[in-house]
């Protein structure tokens, strides 16, 4: 099993039993070759998406500290044409954001037709950190799962392809990565005592994430649980899932481009005749 796709509301996932590493026989070199091929395919699909303007793509990246959200953006999104991609990081809400409903700051960053938005953290923080750290009363975060389902339904009905990824790392791997930050001068700037503090709440986050998967997985907006202890494998799995989600649209987008192309040629012919 290389990825778990959870697309049934109510389906329970046990994170402890979900793999964090690649399947045994996965070959790193073969994986890298496949990743490069997928990168070219994604670039090509993005071109069709951009021209056809019938759909947009929202990629939500969630994960514990050091899970590799930034690395995934660099590698997977790096194969796309930056012209049609926005990366948005959601940090601690500002006063203005807190004084609005929790989806206010998120909705205005969703992608336009033809474009990609990549969320580095997202509206899910409002049922994760907000719940674990008691930032809002339970009555408030409890109803947010329904709001999130409705919000994502609204987006998919508008033509947005919603893909949600949980980058799943083990507690041991996280410790290694946090310690590595202290050793490597180029990573030391990322050190945050809060990351060690958060490790104390590992089990609480596990429960909060399990509820997210059970309550917000839908066929149109599935969660992908990505084994992320090995970065090369994580990148491959995300690239594969994005390509698989976009591939079925290829013909429709191509047909729209052909139609528009014909129309434009006819307009040009008419203009030449008039000259
Ligand atoms: P990364 O996101 O890559 O781990 P980081 O932690 O340094 O990097 P920041 O931009 O400093 O990123 O902020 C992220 C912090 O913002 C996290 O601690 C996260 O829990 C917090 N955060 C994000 N959304 C919310 C929210 N809705 N409510 C409260 N805190 C939030």
């Amino acid at each position: 099993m290389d990825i778990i796709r959870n697309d049934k509301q109510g389906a329970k996932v046990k994170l402890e039993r979900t793999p964090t590493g690649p399947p045994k026989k996965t070959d790193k070199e073969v994986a890298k070759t496949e990743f490069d091929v997928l990168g070219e395919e994604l670039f090509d699909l993005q071109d069709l998406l951009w021209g056809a303007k019938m759909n947009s793509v929202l990629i939500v990246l969630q994960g514990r500290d050091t899970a590799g959200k930034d690395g995934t953006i660099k590698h997977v999104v790096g194969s796309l044409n930056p012209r049609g991609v926005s990366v948005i990081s959601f940090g601690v809400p500002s006063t203005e954001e807190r004084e609005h409903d929790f989806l206010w700051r998120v909705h205005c960053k969703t992608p336009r037709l033809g474009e990609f938005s990549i969320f580095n953290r997202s509206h899910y923080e409002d049922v994760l950190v907000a719940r674990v750290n008691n930032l809002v009363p339970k009555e408030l975060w409890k109803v947010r799962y329904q709001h999130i389902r409705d919000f994502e339904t609204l987006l998919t009905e508008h033509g947005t392809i919603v893909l949600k990824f949980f980058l799943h790392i083990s507690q041991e791997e996280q410790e290694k990565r946090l310690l590595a930050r202290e050793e490597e001068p180029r990573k030391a700037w990322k050190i945050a005592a809060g990351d060690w503090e958060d490790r104390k709440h590992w089990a609480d986050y596990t429960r909060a994430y399990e509820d997210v998967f059970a309550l917000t997985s839908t066929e149109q907006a599935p969660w992908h649980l990505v084994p992320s202890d090995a970065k090369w494998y994580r990148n491959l799995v995300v690239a594969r899932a994005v390509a698989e989600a976009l591939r079925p649209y290829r013909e429709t987008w191509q047909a729209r481009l052909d139609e528009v192309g014909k129309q434009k040629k006819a307009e040009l012919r008419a203009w030449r005749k008039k000259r």
Side-chain angles (χ1 to χ4, degrees):
M1 191 188 330
D2 61 354
I3 185 170
I4 294 182
R5 190 188 143 107
N6 196 42
D7 47 15
K8 274 212 185 66
Q9 202 195 312
K12 293 244 169 5
V13 170
K14 278 270 161 231
L15 271 188
E16 296 290 312
R17 289 197 227 119
T18 309
T20 56
K24 279 206 177 68
K25 286 187 184 149
T26 323
D27 182 286
K28 190 170 170 180
E29 288 313 308
V30 175
K32 282 190 169 162
T33 309
E34 185 188 342
F35 179 77
D36 290 342
V37 174
L38 284 167
E40 284 172 31
E41 185 185 4
L42 283 175
F43 188 87
D44 188 49
L45 284 163
Q46 183 198 10
D47 229 28
L48 299 176
L49 170 86
W50 173 266
K53 298 263 184 288
M54 299 169 81
N55 298 92
S56 58
V57 182
L58 172 62
I59 295 180
V60 171
L61 294 176
Q62 285 288 156
R64 304 180 199 257
D65 295 313
T66 77
K69 298 184 291 297
D70 285 327
T72 306
I73 292 169
K74 181 167 148 192
H75 292 281
V76 180
V77 183
S79 36
L80 299 172
N81 182 340
R83 175 187 62 176
V85 183
S86 304
V87 176
I88 304 103
S89 297
F90 291 99
V92 177
S94 65
T95 307
E96 187 183 19
E97 288 168 345
R98 246 184 298 112
E99 289 176 356
H100 283 89
D101 70 83
F102 78 107
L103 292 171
W104 179 76
R105 66 172 183 163
V106 177
H107 201 168
C108 61
K109 300 292 181 191
T110 52
R112 297 167 67 153
L113 293 175
E115 299 191 10
F116 277 73
S117 284
I118 320 296
F119 284 0
N120 178 357
R121 299 185 189 268
S122 64
H123 43 301
Y124 284 97
E125 290 295 326
D126 294 282
V127 285
L128 290 164
V129 66
R131 164 176 165 171
V132 171
N133 290 349
N134 295 311
L135 303 181
V136 294
K138 188 172 179 183
E139 309 85 78
L140 207 57
W141 62 255
K142 269 269 172 193
V143 292
R144 287 181 173 170
Y145 301 101
Q146 178 68 49
H147 291 311
I148 290 175
R149 286 196 299 271
D150 292 342
F151 170 58
E152 292 177 356
T153 302
L154 172 72
L155 298 181
T156 55
E157 285 177 358
H158 182 66
T160 304
I161 300 162
V162 181
L163 295 162
K164 304 181 291 195
F165 295 97
F166 171 66
L167 307 181
H168 187 29
I169 51 164
S170 62
Q171 215 163 352
E172 299 73 44
E173 180 63 25
Q174 189 192 52
E175 185 173 14
K176 255 196 252 167
R177 291 184 188 182
L178 287 174
L179 291 172
R181 284 181 179 177
E182 293 176 46
E183 300 307 317
E184 293 173 39
R186 285 191 62 168
K187 289 192 174 168
W189 67 272
K190 291 187 182 178
I191 293 172
D195 292 348
W196 289 97
E197 183 62 31
D198 264 354
R199 273 171 68 79
K200 291 192 200 152
H201 302 293
W202 187 274
D204 296 330
Y205 272 106
T206 299
R207 270 195 298 278
Y209 267 113
E210 286 173 349
D211 276 354
V212 160
F213 306 139
L215 297 171
T216 66
S217 293
T218 58
E219 210 183 315
Q220 290 79 20
W223 272 103
H224 298 265
L225 276 59
V226 183
S228 299
D229 279 354
K231 296 171 184 173
W232 55 270
Y233 187 67
R234 170 202 73 203
N235 295 341
L236 174 67
V237 165
V238 174
R240 254 192 212 153
V242 179
E244 271 167 27
L246 303 196
R247 220 173 269 143
Y249 293 86
R250 179 183 280 281
E251 281 182 22
T252 315
W253 293 338
Q254 186 62 61
R256 167 63 64 90
L257 293 187
D258 292 345
E259 192 187 308
V260 175
K262 267 189 211 152
Q263 219 175 314
K264 299 274 179 189
K265 278 188 192 169
E267 281 168 18
L268 186 61
R269 271 197 305 273
W271 178 80
R272 282 188 177 137
K273 262 191 202 162
K274 268 201 281 173
R275 271 198 305 166

PDB file of all heavy atoms in Angstrom, residues 225-251:
ATOM      1  N   LEU A 225      -3.304  10.214   2.572  1.00  0.00           N
ATOM      2  CA  LEU A 225      -2.362  10.085   3.678  1.00  0.00           C
ATOM      3  C   LEU A 225      -1.034   9.610   3.100  1.00  0.00           C
ATOM      4  O   LEU A 225      -0.926   8.481   2.610  1.00  0.00           O
ATOM      5  CB  LEU A 225      -2.892   9.091   4.719  1.00  0.00           C
ATOM      6  CG  LEU A 225      -3.866   9.675   5.743  1.00  0.00           C
ATOM      7  CD1 LEU A 225      -5.093  10.277   5.100  1.00  0.00           C
ATOM      8  CD2 LEU A 225      -4.285   8.613   6.736  1.00  0.00           C
ATOM      9  N   VAL A 226      -0.062  10.485   3.131  1.00  0.00           N
ATOM     10  CA  VAL A 226       1.177  10.254   2.392  1.00  0.00           C
ATOM     11  C   VAL A 226       2.307   9.824   3.329  1.00  0.00           C
ATOM     12  O   VAL A 226       2.698  10.600   4.212  1.00  0.00           O
ATOM     13  CB  VAL A 226       1.605  11.566   1.681  1.00  0.00           C
ATOM     14  CG1 VAL A 226       2.849  11.344   0.842  1.00  0.00           C
ATOM     15  CG2 VAL A 226       0.467  12.125   0.852  1.00  0.00           C
ATOM     16  N   PRO A 227       2.843   8.625   3.135  1.00  0.00           N
ATOM     17  CA  PRO A 227       3.994   8.218   3.959  1.00  0.00           C
ATOM     18  C   PRO A 227       5.149   9.182   3.679  1.00  0.00           C
ATOM     19  O   PRO A 227       5.599   9.284   2.545  1.00  0.00           O
ATOM     20  CB  PRO A 227       4.337   6.814   3.437  1.00  0.00           C
ATOM     21  CG  PRO A 227       3.112   6.357   2.699  1.00  0.00           C
ATOM     22  CD  PRO A 227       2.475   7.604   2.156  1.00  0.00           C
ATOM     23  N   SER A 228       5.612   9.894   4.706  1.00  0.00           N
ATOM     24  CA  SER A 228       6.516  11.020   4.419  1.00  0.00           C
ATOM     25  C   SER A 228       7.870  10.943   5.125  1.00  0.00           C
ATOM     26  O   SER A 228       8.618  11.923   5.140  1.00  0.00           O
ATOM     27  CB  SER A 228       5.818  12.340   4.780  1.00  0.00           C
ATOM     28  OG  SER A 228       4.658  12.494   3.995  1.00  0.00           O
ATOM     29  N   ASP A 229       8.198   9.778   5.695  1.00  0.00           N
ATOM     30  CA  ASP A 229       9.520   9.675   6.342  1.00  0.00           C
ATOM     31  C   ASP A 229      10.642   9.773   5.312  1.00  0.00           C
ATOM     32  O   ASP A 229      11.730  10.244   5.628  1.00  0.00           O
ATOM     33  CB  ASP A 229       9.645   8.355   7.125  1.00  0.00           C
ATOM     34  CG  ASP A 229       8.961   8.445   8.490  1.00  0.00           C
ATOM     35  OD1 ASP A 229       8.509   9.549   8.855  1.00  0.00           O
ATOM     36  OD2 ASP A 229       8.876   7.412   9.189  1.00  0.00           O
ATOM     37  N   ALA A 230      10.392   9.281   4.096  1.00  0.00           N
ATOM     38  CA  ALA A 230      11.389   9.410   3.027  1.00  0.00           C
ATOM     39  C   ALA A 230      10.908  10.494   2.074  1.00  0.00           C
ATOM     40  O   ALA A 230       9.840  10.374   1.469  1.00  0.00           O
ATOM     41  CB  ALA A 230      11.557   8.084   2.287  1.00  0.00           C
ATOM     42  N   LYS A 231      11.722  11.538   1.934  1.00  0.00           N
ATOM     43  CA  LYS A 231      11.263  12.700   1.156  1.00  0.00           C
ATOM     44  C   LYS A 231      11.026  12.360  -0.311  1.00  0.00           C
ATOM     45  O   LYS A 231      10.066  12.826  -0.913  1.00  0.00           O
ATOM     46  CB  LYS A 231      12.280  13.835   1.280  1.00  0.00           C
ATOM     47  CG  LYS A 231      12.396  14.337   2.707  1.00  0.00           C
ATOM     48  CD  LYS A 231      13.545  15.298   2.890  1.00  0.00           C
ATOM     49  CE  LYS A 231      13.654  15.667   4.368  1.00  0.00           C
ATOM     50  NZ  LYS A 231      14.843  16.480   4.671  1.00  0.00           N
ATOM     51  N   TRP A 232      11.897  11.546  -0.903  1.00  0.00           N
ATOM     52  CA  TRP A 232      11.765  11.201  -2.321  1.00  0.00           C
ATOM     53  C   TRP A 232      10.473  10.430  -2.570  1.00  0.00           C
ATOM     54  O   TRP A 232       9.825  10.594  -3.603  1.00  0.00           O
ATOM     55  CB  TRP A 232      12.981  10.385  -2.807  1.00  0.00           C
ATOM     56  CG  TRP A 232      13.253   9.141  -1.996  1.00  0.00           C
ATOM     57  CD1 TRP A 232      14.054   9.048  -0.896  1.00  0.00           C
ATOM     58  CD2 TRP A 232      12.706   7.824  -2.208  1.00  0.00           C
ATOM     59  NE1 TRP A 232      14.044   7.767  -0.398  1.00  0.00           N
ATOM     60  CE2 TRP A 232      13.224   6.992  -1.187  1.00  0.00           C
ATOM     61  CE3 TRP A 232      11.825   7.270  -3.144  1.00  0.00           C
ATOM     62  CZ2 TRP A 232      12.903   5.640  -1.086  1.00  0.00           C
ATOM     63  CZ3 TRP A 232      11.511   5.918  -3.028  1.00  0.00           C
ATOM     64  CH2 TRP A 232      12.045   5.129  -2.018  1.00  0.00           C
ATOM     65  N   TYR A 233      10.083   9.596  -1.590  1.00  0.00           N
ATOM     66  CA  TYR A 233       8.859   8.818  -1.757  1.00  0.00           C
ATOM     67  C   TYR A 233       7.626   9.716  -1.590  1.00  0.00           C
ATOM     68  O   TYR A 233       6.660   9.627  -2.358  1.00  0.00           O
ATOM     69  CB  TYR A 233       8.829   7.649  -0.767  1.00  0.00           C
ATOM     70  CG  TYR A 233       7.668   6.738  -1.029  1.00  0.00           C
ATOM     71  CD1 TYR A 233       7.609   5.986  -2.194  1.00  0.00           C
ATOM     72  CD2 TYR A 233       6.607   6.658  -0.131  1.00  0.00           C
ATOM     73  CE1 TYR A 233       6.517   5.173  -2.467  1.00  0.00           C
ATOM     74  CE2 TYR A 233       5.519   5.842  -0.398  1.00  0.00           C
ATOM     75  CZ  TYR A 233       5.479   5.109  -1.562  1.00  0.00           C
ATOM     76  OH  TYR A 233       4.396   4.315  -1.828  1.00  0.00           O
ATOM     77  N   ARG A 234       7.703  10.596  -0.595  1.00  0.00           N
ATOM     78  CA  ARG A 234       6.609  11.558  -0.371  1.00  0.00           C
ATOM     79  C   ARG A 234       6.338  12.373  -1.641  1.00  0.00           C
ATOM     80  O   ARG A 234       5.194  12.501  -2.081  1.00  0.00           O
ATOM     81  CB  ARG A 234       7.038  12.493   0.779  1.00  0.00           C
ATOM     82  CG  ARG A 234       6.153  13.682   0.996  1.00  0.00           C
ATOM     83  CD  ARG A 234       6.908  14.769   1.716  1.00  0.00           C
ATOM     84  NE  ARG A 234       7.872  15.424   0.841  1.00  0.00           N
ATOM     85  CZ  ARG A 234       8.959  16.085   1.241  1.00  0.00           C
ATOM     86  NH1 ARG A 234       9.262  16.170   2.519  1.00  0.00           N
ATOM     87  NH2 ARG A 234       9.758  16.667   0.360  1.00  0.00           N
ATOM     88  N   ASN A 235       7.397  12.871  -2.255  1.00  0.00           N
ATOM     89  CA  ASN A 235       7.232  13.680  -3.475  1.00  0.00           C
ATOM     90  C   ASN A 235       6.569  12.869  -4.580  1.00  0.00           C
ATOM     91  O   ASN A 235       5.689  13.359  -5.296  1.00  0.00           O
ATOM     92  CB  ASN A 235       8.590  14.188  -3.965  1.00  0.00           C
ATOM     93  CG  ASN A 235       9.219  15.156  -2.979  1.00  0.00           C
ATOM     94  OD1 ASN A 235       8.528  15.721  -2.133  1.00  0.00           O
ATOM     95  ND2 ASN A 235      10.523  15.337  -3.072  1.00  0.00           N
ATOM     96  N   LEU A 236       7.018  11.626  -4.706  1.00  0.00           N
ATOM     97  CA  LEU A 236       6.461  10.763  -5.753  1.00  0.00           C
ATOM     98  C   LEU A 236       4.962  10.539  -5.540  1.00  0.00           C
ATOM     99  O   LEU A 236       4.158  10.670  -6.467  1.00  0.00           O
ATOM    100  CB  LEU A 236       7.195   9.411  -5.757  1.00  0.00           C
ATOM    101  CG  LEU A 236       6.606   8.371  -6.717  1.00  0.00           C
ATOM    102  CD1 LEU A 236       6.798   8.807  -8.168  1.00  0.00           C
ATOM    103  CD2 LEU A 236       7.250   6.998  -6.494  1.00  0.00           C
ATOM    104  N   VAL A 237       4.607  10.240  -4.297  1.00  0.00           N
ATOM    105  CA  VAL A 237       3.203   9.927  -3.998  1.00  0.00           C
ATOM    106  C   VAL A 237       2.295  11.140  -4.256  1.00  0.00           C
ATOM    107  O   VAL A 237       1.216  11.009  -4.835  1.00  0.00           O
ATOM    108  CB  VAL A 237       3.093   9.434  -2.531  1.00  0.00           C
ATOM    109  CG1 VAL A 237       1.659   9.438  -2.053  1.00  0.00           C
ATOM    110  CG2 VAL A 237       3.689   8.040  -2.396  1.00  0.00           C
ATOM    111  N   VAL A 238       2.761  12.313  -3.880  1.00  0.00           N
ATOM    112  CA  VAL A 238       1.941  13.509  -4.098  1.00  0.00           C
ATOM    113  C   VAL A 238       1.817  13.782  -5.603  1.00  0.00           C
ATOM    114  O   VAL A 238       0.718  14.029  -6.116  1.00  0.00           O
ATOM    115  CB  VAL A 238       2.521  14.737  -3.346  1.00  0.00           C
ATOM    116  CG1 VAL A 238       1.748  15.999  -3.700  1.00  0.00           C
ATOM    117  CG2 VAL A 238       2.488  14.503  -1.836  1.00  0.00           C
ATOM    118  N   ALA A 239       2.952  13.693  -6.315  1.00  0.00           N
ATOM    119  CA  ALA A 239       2.918  13.952  -7.758  1.00  0.00           C
ATOM    120  C   ALA A 239       1.989  12.963  -8.457  1.00  0.00           C
ATOM    121  O   ALA A 239       1.196  13.344  -9.333  1.00  0.00           O
ATOM    122  CB  ALA A 239       4.327  13.860  -8.342  1.00  0.00           C
ATOM    123  N   ARG A 240       2.071  11.706  -8.045  1.00  0.00           N
ATOM    124  CA  ARG A 240       1.193  10.678  -8.631  1.00  0.00           C
ATOM    125  C   ARG A 240      -0.273  11.019  -8.405  1.00  0.00           C
ATOM    126  O   ARG A 240      -1.095  10.948  -9.321  1.00  0.00           O
ATOM    127  CB  ARG A 240       1.458   9.345  -7.924  1.00  0.00           C
ATOM    128  CG  ARG A 240       2.224   8.358  -8.735  1.00  0.00           C
ATOM    129  CD  ARG A 240       2.119   7.034  -8.002  1.00  0.00           C
ATOM    130  NE  ARG A 240       3.316   6.239  -8.188  1.00  0.00           N
ATOM    131  CZ  ARG A 240       3.750   5.327  -7.333  1.00  0.00           C
ATOM    132  NH1 ARG A 240       3.108   5.129  -6.185  1.00  0.00           N
ATOM    133  NH2 ARG A 240       4.820   4.617  -7.586  1.00  0.00           N
ATOM    134  N   ALA A 241      -0.602  11.389  -7.176  1.00  0.00           N
ATOM    135  CA  ALA A 241      -2.014  11.662  -6.851  1.00  0.00           C
ATOM    136  C   ALA A 241      -2.530  12.868  -7.629  1.00  0.00           C
ATOM    137  O   ALA A 241      -3.676  12.869  -8.095  1.00  0.00           O
ATOM    138  CB  ALA A 241      -2.173  11.882  -5.342  1.00  0.00           C
ATOM    139  N   VAL A 242      -1.690  13.889  -7.784  1.00  0.00           N
ATOM    140  CA  VAL A 242      -2.150  15.073  -8.524  1.00  0.00           C
ATOM    141  C   VAL A 242      -2.347  14.697  -9.996  1.00  0.00           C
ATOM    142  O   VAL A 242      -3.375  15.026 -10.607  1.00  0.00           O
ATOM    143  CB  VAL A 242      -1.153  16.261  -8.375  1.00  0.00           C
ATOM    144  CG1 VAL A 242      -1.644  17.468  -9.174  1.00  0.00           C
ATOM    145  CG2 VAL A 242      -0.980  16.643  -6.901  1.00  0.00           C
ATOM    146  N   ALA A 243      -1.381  13.972 -10.543  1.00  0.00           N
ATOM    147  CA  ALA A 243      -1.500  13.578 -11.962  1.00  0.00           C
ATOM    148  C   ALA A 243      -2.744  12.699 -12.167  1.00  0.00           C
ATOM    149  O   ALA A 243      -3.502  12.895 -13.126  1.00  0.00           O
ATOM    150  CB  ALA A 243      -0.233  12.850 -12.413  1.00  0.00           C
ATOM    151  N   GLU A 244      -2.960  11.767 -11.250  1.00  0.00           N
ATOM    152  CA  GLU A 244      -4.138  10.883 -11.379  1.00  0.00           C
ATOM    153  C   GLU A 244      -5.447  11.667 -11.323  1.00  0.00           C
ATOM    154  O   GLU A 244      -6.413  11.332 -12.002  1.00  0.00           O
ATOM    155  CB  GLU A 244      -4.138   9.832 -10.267  1.00  0.00           C
ATOM    156  CG  GLU A 244      -3.379   8.586 -10.680  1.00  0.00           C
ATOM    157  CD  GLU A 244      -3.090   7.658  -9.510  1.00  0.00           C
ATOM    158  OE1 GLU A 244      -3.855   7.666  -8.528  1.00  0.00           O
ATOM    159  OE2 GLU A 244      -2.069   6.932  -9.590  1.00  0.00           O
ATOM    160  N   ALA A 245      -5.462  12.712 -10.506  1.00  0.00           N
ATOM    161  CA  ALA A 245      -6.702  13.496 -10.379  1.00  0.00           C
ATOM    162  C   ALA A 245      -6.952  14.354 -11.616  1.00  0.00           C
ATOM    163  O   ALA A 245      -8.098  14.598 -11.984  1.00  0.00           O
ATOM    164  CB  ALA A 245      -6.622  14.376  -9.129  1.00  0.00           C
ATOM    165  N   LEU A 246      -5.878  14.813 -12.250  1.00  0.00           N
ATOM    166  CA  LEU A 246      -6.059  15.735 -13.388  1.00  0.00           C
ATOM    167  C   LEU A 246      -6.215  14.993 -14.721  1.00  0.00           C
ATOM    168  O   LEU A 246      -6.875  15.496 -15.639  1.00  0.00           O
ATOM    169  CB  LEU A 246      -4.882  16.706 -13.498  1.00  0.00           C
ATOM    170  CG  LEU A 246      -4.561  17.572 -12.277  1.00  0.00           C
ATOM    171  CD1 LEU A 246      -3.654  18.725 -12.678  1.00  0.00           C
ATOM    172  CD2 LEU A 246      -5.824  18.163 -11.655  1.00  0.00           C
ATOM    173  N   ARG A 247      -5.571  13.822 -14.809  1.00  0.00           N
ATOM    174  CA  ARG A 247      -5.565  13.065 -16.075  1.00  0.00           C
ATOM    175  C   ARG A 247      -6.954  12.897 -16.709  1.00  0.00           C
ATOM    176  O   ARG A 247      -7.107  13.107 -17.909  1.00  0.00           O
ATOM    177  CB  ARG A 247      -4.939  11.691 -15.809  1.00  0.00           C
ATOM    178  CG  ARG A 247      -4.018  11.226 -16.913  1.00  0.00           C
ATOM    179  CD  ARG A 247      -3.310   9.958 -16.486  1.00  0.00           C
ATOM    180  NE  ARG A 247      -2.040  10.186 -15.828  1.00  0.00           N
ATOM    181  CZ  ARG A 247      -1.571   9.458 -14.804  1.00  0.00           C
ATOM    182  NH1 ARG A 247      -2.289   8.478 -14.294  1.00  0.00           N
ATOM    183  NH2 ARG A 247      -0.386   9.717 -14.291  1.00  0.00           N
ATOM    184  N   PRO A 248      -7.983  12.555 -15.934  1.00  0.00           N
ATOM    185  CA  PRO A 248      -9.310  12.346 -16.554  1.00  0.00           C
ATOM    186  C   PRO A 248      -9.884  13.589 -17.240  1.00  0.00           C
ATOM    187  O   PRO A 248     -10.823  13.485 -18.014  1.00  0.00           O
ATOM    188  CB  PRO A 248     -10.198  11.939 -15.361  1.00  0.00           C
ATOM    189  CG  PRO A 248      -9.266  11.499 -14.297  1.00  0.00           C
ATOM    190  CD  PRO A 248      -7.995  12.249 -14.497  1.00  0.00           C
ATOM    191  N   TYR A 249      -9.339  14.757 -16.948  1.00  0.00           N
ATOM    192  CA  TYR A 249      -9.862  15.992 -17.545  1.00  0.00           C
ATOM    193  C   TYR A 249      -9.187  16.310 -18.880  1.00  0.00           C
ATOM    194  O   TYR A 249      -9.603  17.214 -19.601  1.00  0.00           O
ATOM    195  CB  TYR A 249      -9.631  17.184 -16.610  1.00  0.00           C
ATOM    196  CG  TYR A 249     -10.436  17.124 -15.337  1.00  0.00           C
ATOM    197  CD1 TYR A 249      -9.965  16.426 -14.224  1.00  0.00           C
ATOM    198  CD2 TYR A 249     -11.665  17.765 -15.238  1.00  0.00           C
ATOM    199  CE1 TYR A 249     -10.700  16.367 -13.045  1.00  0.00           C
ATOM    200  CE2 TYR A 249     -12.407  17.720 -14.071  1.00  0.00           C
ATOM    201  CZ  TYR A 249     -11.915  17.009 -12.975  1.00  0.00           C
ATOM    202  OH  TYR A 249     -12.640  16.959 -11.811  1.00  0.00           O
ATOM    203  N   ARG A 250      -8.097  15.585 -19.183  1.00  0.00           N
ATOM    204  CA  ARG A 250      -7.275  15.946 -20.349  1.00  0.00           C
ATOM    205  C   ARG A 250      -8.099  16.129 -21.619  1.00  0.00           C
ATOM    206  O   ARG A 250      -8.005  17.152 -22.292  1.00  0.00           O
ATOM    207  CB  ARG A 250      -6.194  14.867 -20.570  1.00  0.00           C
ATOM    208  CG  ARG A 250      -5.318  15.142 -21.772  1.00  0.00           C
ATOM    209  CD  ARG A 250      -4.320  14.010 -21.975  1.00  0.00           C
ATOM    210  NE  ARG A 250      -3.182  14.096 -21.093  1.00  0.00           N
ATOM    211  CZ  ARG A 250      -2.134  14.908 -21.286  1.00  0.00           C
ATOM    212  NH1 ARG A 250      -2.128  15.718 -22.337  1.00  0.00           N
ATOM    213  NH2 ARG A 250      -1.132  14.916 -20.455  1.00  0.00           N
ATOM    214  N   GLU A 251      -8.952  15.140 -21.918  1.00  0.00           N
ATOM    215  CA  GLU A 251      -9.708  15.204 -23.185  1.00  0.00           C
ATOM    216  C   GLU A 251     -10.673  16.377 -23.217  1.00  0.00           C
ATOM    217  O   GLU A 251     -10.818  17.057 -24.241  1.00  0.00           O
ATOM    218  CB  GLU A 251     -10.467  13.901 -23.408  1.00  0.00           C
ATOM    219  CG  GLU A 251      -9.533  12.832 -23.925  1.00  0.00           C
ATOM    220  CD  GLU A 251     -10.245  11.530 -24.202  1.00  0.00           C
ATOM    221  OE1 GLU A 251     -11.474  11.555 -24.407  1.00  0.00           O
ATOM    222  OE2 GLU A 251      -9.552  10.501 -24.197  1.00  0.00           O
TER     223      GLU A 251
END
